[in-house]
Amino acid sequence: MKKILVSACLMGAPVRYNGKSLGLQPDDLAWLQRHFAIKTLCPEVAGGLPTPRAPAEIAGGEGADVLLGSARIVDNTGADQTNAFVRGAEQTLAFCRQHDIGHAILAEASPSCGSNIIYNGHFSGEKVAGQGVTAALLRRHGIVVVSQHNIAVLKAGR
C-alpha cells in the first residue's frame, strides 16, 4: 500500500500554533485509510518549535522565496523563525524519503504547509495565493502536495 504524509494537526494532534488541531472530513479520512498507509508529522514541531507558539507568517514572499533566502518567516512578536521553519521542511522531506512517501496532505494557509494559500505576511488576516516552505520543498522534490480542502485531486488520480 502506498504511503501518504498527512499533517499531524489534520489527524487531530494538538500541534497547531494555538495548541489546537484541525481535522479531515470523515469521508475523506475513510477514503485515505482505504487507499494509503497514513504517516503523520508536524513540520513546525519537527523544526523545533513549541506548542503553543506565536503565530507566524511569511514576510516578503512565499515558501520558495524562503528557501532561496529572499523571504523570512516572522512571528507576531517580530521574532525571526525562518531557521526553525526551514529545518522543519528539511526534516519533513527526510521523513518522506525515509518512508518512500510520494503524496502529502498539508494544512492550508500555514507558513509551513499552505499548498495554495498563505497569509500575506502582515498579520492582517488576509490570505493570498502562495505556498508554505514545507509545501514548496516537497514539491521541489517531486512529492504531490494537496491541502485538506482538495483531496478530490488525489481521488481523481486513483
Side-chain angles (χ1 to χ4, degrees):
M1 181 175 274
K2 286 186 179 181
K3 297 172 190 156
I4 191 166
L5 172 68
V6 179
S7 291
C9 66
L10 295 174
M11 295 298 292
V15 293
R16 294 187 71 224
Y17 74 95
N18 59 5
K20 297 186 178 183
S21 66
L22 295 172
L24 296 172
Q25 294 296 318
D27 290 346
D28 288 338
L29 179 57
W31 182 86
L32 288 169
Q33 289 171 327
R34 283 193 310 273
H35 292 93
F36 292 94
I38 298 172
K39 299 286 187 181
T40 63
L41 182 87
C42 172
E44 295 173 18
V45 172
L49 293 168
T51 303
R53 57 191 165 273
E57 296 186 7
I58 299 173
E62 62 174 310
D65 302 312
V66 172
L67 294 170
L68 292 172
S70 61
R72 309 296 293 161
I73 301 178
V74 297
D75 67 28
N76 67 351
T77 71
D80 188 329
Q81 299 294 345
T82 304
N83 290 338
F85 277 82
V86 170
R87 188 170 43 251
E90 291 168 346
Q91 291 291 324
T92 304
L93 177 62
F95 182 84
C96 288
R97 287 179 167 165
Q98 175 186 359
H99 294 283
D100 194 29
I101 293 171
H103 296 81
I105 301 171
L106 304 178
E108 195 66 275
S110 157
S112 288
C113 297
S115 61
N116 298 300
I117 297 169
I118 56 173
Y119 286 94
N120 70 358
H122 301 290
F123 297 96
S124 64
E126 181 182 341
K127 295 177 184 177
V128 296
Q131 59 186 341
V133 67
T134 297
L137 186 63
L138 295 183
R139 283 180 170 150
R140 179 185 290 174
H141 290 274
I143 295 170
V144 176
V145 177
V146 300
S147 80
Q148 72 271 32
H149 305 300
N150 62 356
I151 293 173
V153 169
L154 296 177
K155 291 178 180 180
R158 297 258 342 138

